[in-house]
Amino acid sequence: MSRIGFSYKKYIAVVALQIVLIMTVLDVTVVNVALPILAEEFAISNSSAVWIVTVYQLVITMLLLPVSSIGDLHSYKRTFLTGVVVFTSASALCAASWSFGAVVAARALQGVGAACVMGVNIALVRLIYPREILGRGMALNAMCIAIATAAGPTIAGAILSVTSWHWLFLINVPLGIVAFVLGWRLLPQNPPAREPKPRFDRVSAIENMIVFGLIFYALGNFSRKGDVALSAVMLAVGLAVGYFYVRRQFSRRQPLLPVDLFRNSMYTMSIVTSVCSFMAQNIAMIALPFLYLNSYHFSAITTGLLMTPWPLATMVISPLAARYVERHNPGATAAAGMAVFIVGVLLLLFTGSAPGELNIAWRMAICGVGFGMFQTPNNIVMVMATPVNRSGGAGGVQSTARLVGQTLGATIVSSIFALLASELAAVRLCLYISVAFAAIAGIFSYTRTLGHRSDLHM
C-alpha cells in the first residue's frame, strides 16, 4: 500500500484507538491524585484506597494475553469494541458507586475493558498503517501515552478544583461513545486466515490469570510491606503454576503465551530490552521525587513540575524517531536512545547539593529524549519480527513486558528504601541500578543489529 493509500478514513480510525488509549492511561494517573479524597469519602485508610488503583492494573495484567489471543483467533476489531463498551460502562459504574466495595468492583471491570483495548491496540495499528510508515503509528501510541502521563495530574487537579471526584470517571463516557462509533465504522477486520484457526485455549487462559495474578499481587504486597509469609507463598504458587503453564504452551499450535515467537532471537531480545528499559525508567521516576522533596526541599507542586520534562521530551522525540528509522536501523537507534538516557540519569546523580529547578529540568528532558529515541524503534523491531496474524499475541506480550518492567522497578525501589537507612543513599543506589538496566537494554538493542541488518530496515 502506498502512502497515498493511507486515506483520511484511516486517520480517523487511528483517532478511535488513541482516544481509548489515552483514557486507559489517564485512569491510572487521575485516580492516583484522587486517592486521598476517595479515602475520606468512603472512610477507609490510605493503604486500602490504593486498591482502587491496584485492582485496575492487576486485572489488566491478568487478561492481556488471553484477550490478545482472542483477537488473533477471531477479531481485533470486535475485541477492541467490546473493550470500549466494557470500559465506558464501568466508568459510569465507578461514578455511580455508593461504597468502597462497589468502586473496587467497577474498577476491576474497567480493567477488563482496558485489557481488551491494550491487547489488540498494536495489532490494529499494524493493520491500519502501511509497512513503510508503521513507525509513525507506533510513535503516535508512545506520544499519546506520554501526553496522558504528563497531563493526568493536571487534569485531575483541574476537575477536583471545580467539581466532585465522580467526574474523573464520567468524562470517559462521551469519549467512549465517540471512540466506539468511529471504531465500529472504520476499523479494519483481521486479514483472511490461510488455514483453520485453533480453538481458544481456556485452560491456558486460566493458568495465565493465576500466574500473573499471584505473582504480581505478591510483588506488589512486598513493595507495600504487607504479610511477607503470605506473599512468599503466593509467589511460590504462582511460579509453580507458571512452570506447568509454560510447558503447556509448547504443545499448542498457536499458544496463548507465544513461546513459538521467542524462537526468533530478534523478537526475544526486543522483549528483554523492553522489560529492562521500563525497569530503568520506573526505578528513576519513583526514586527522584524523594530526592526533590526531601533532599533538595522543593515543594510538592515544584516536584510535580520537575517530573514533567521527562514525558514531554518523550512525546516530542517519539514521532521524530519514528520518521528517522524509516530510513535507518531501528535497533541501533534504540541503543543510542538508551545511551542518551544513561547520560541523563548520570547528570541527575551529579547535580550538586542544591541545584536550581532549571538545572534539574534540562537533565530530566535528556532522560525523556533518550527514552523517546528507544521506545518507538524497539517496538518497531518487535512488531516487524512477528507474522501479521500473530500481531495480537505479540502486542499483548509487549504490553505485559511493560507492566512487568514497571512492577519489578517499583519492587526494587521499595526494597532498597527498606534496606538503607539513608534516603539519599537509597535514591542514589536506585539511580545507579536504573543506569545498569538501561545499559543492559542498550547492549541487547545493539547486539540484535549484528547479523540482522537487512531485517531491520522498513
Side-chain angles (χ1 to χ4, degrees), residues 324-325 327-334 377 381 445 449 452-453 456-457:
Y324 180 79
V325 298
R327 297 177 179 270
H328 300 85
N329 188 307
T333 306
V381 174
S445 292
T449 68
H452 294 279
R453 295 185 185 277
L456 288 170
H457 289 291

Side-chain angles (χ1 to χ4, degrees), residues 63-378:
L63 293 179
L64 267 174
L65 291 178
V67 298
S68 299
S69 178
I70 291 171
D72 279 338
L73 295 175
H74 300 290
S75 169
Y76 301 133
K77 177 178 179 177
R78 194 183 311 152
T79 304
F80 174 84
L81 293 177
T82 300
V84 174
V85 171
V86 172
F87 185 87
T88 305
S89 303
S91 297
L93 290 174
C94 284
S97 295
W98 60 92
S99 67
F100 173 62
V103 76
V104 168
R107 285 287 282 173
L109 191 59
Q110 264 194 322
V112 174
C116 291
V117 170
M118 293 180 182
V120 299
N121 178 276
I122 290 175
L124 286 168
V125 167
R126 188 174 186 180
L127 292 181
I128 291 170
Y129 280 84
R131 177 186 175 94
E132 63 267 22
I133 59 170
L134 174 63
R136 301 183 193 184
M138 307 295 289
L140 185 59
N141 271 12
M143 187 172 69
C144 287
I145 291 172
I147 290 172
T149 302
T154 303
I155 292 172
I159 290 174
L160 294 172
S161 66
V162 296
T163 187
S164 68
W165 61 268
H166 304 81
W167 286 94
L168 295 175
F169 301 107
L170 283 175
I171 59 173
N172 292 332
V173 175
L175 293 174
I177 292 172
V178 171
F180 179 85
V181 172
L182 294 177
W184 177 63
R185 295 189 64 182
L186 299 173
L187 286 175
Q189 294 290 351
N190 290 30
R194 296 181 179 178
E195 57 185 21
K197 292 186 176 182
R199 290 184 177 182
F200 178 67
D201 188 355
R202 291 184 175 87
V203 174
S204 291
I206 293 170
E207 289 177 336
N208 179 87
M209 288 187 282
I210 292 172
V211 170
F212 282 99
L214 290 179
I215 291 176
F216 272 70
Y217 181 80
L219 291 176
N221 216 29
F222 280 128
S223 67
R224 292 187 296 270
K225 301 179 182 178
D227 188 325
V228 175
L230 176 62
S231 299
V233 170
M234 294 176 72
L235 183 61
V237 172
L239 292 172
V241 175
Y243 169 76
F244 294 102
Y245 168 53
V246 173
R247 277 192 61 181
R248 179 179 176 84
Q249 302 313 296
F250 284 104
S251 65
R252 313 302 295 181
R253 181 160 66 87
Q254 192 163 322
L256 187 82
L257 177 68
V259 290
D260 54 326
L261 298 182
F262 287 106
R263 297 189 184 100
N264 184 323
S265 61
M266 293 265 295
Y267 179 78
T268 302
M269 285 192 285
S270 297
I271 295 300
V272 172
T273 58
S274 185
V275 172
C276 291
S277 68
F278 278 105
M279 287 179 70
Q281 177 179 246
N282 219 36
I283 288 170
M285 290 287 275
I286 293 173
L288 284 170
F290 291 95
L291 181 68
Y292 300 158
L293 280 167
N294 301 330
S295 297
Y296 297 160
H297 305 295
F298 291 120
S299 67
I301 294 175
T302 302
T303 296
L305 290 173
L306 288 175
M307 299 301 293
T308 304
W310 187 318
L312 286 181
T314 299
M315 176 187 73
V316 172
I317 292 299
S318 290
L320 299 178
R323 287 180 176 267
Y324 180 79
V325 298
E326 288 173 11
R327 297 177 179 270
H328 300 85
N329 188 307
T333 306
M338 279 292 97
V340 173
F341 177 91
I342 289 170
V343 170
V345 175
L346 290 175
L347 287 170
L348 287 168
L349 270 164
F350 301 104
T351 53
S353 57
E357 291 92 332
L358 187 60
N359 212 13
I360 292 173
W362 68 263
R363 289 169 164 84
M364 293 290 287
I366 289 177
C367 294
V369 167
F371 202 79
M373 289 174 61
F374 167 84
Q375 189 177 18
T376 299
N378 185 68

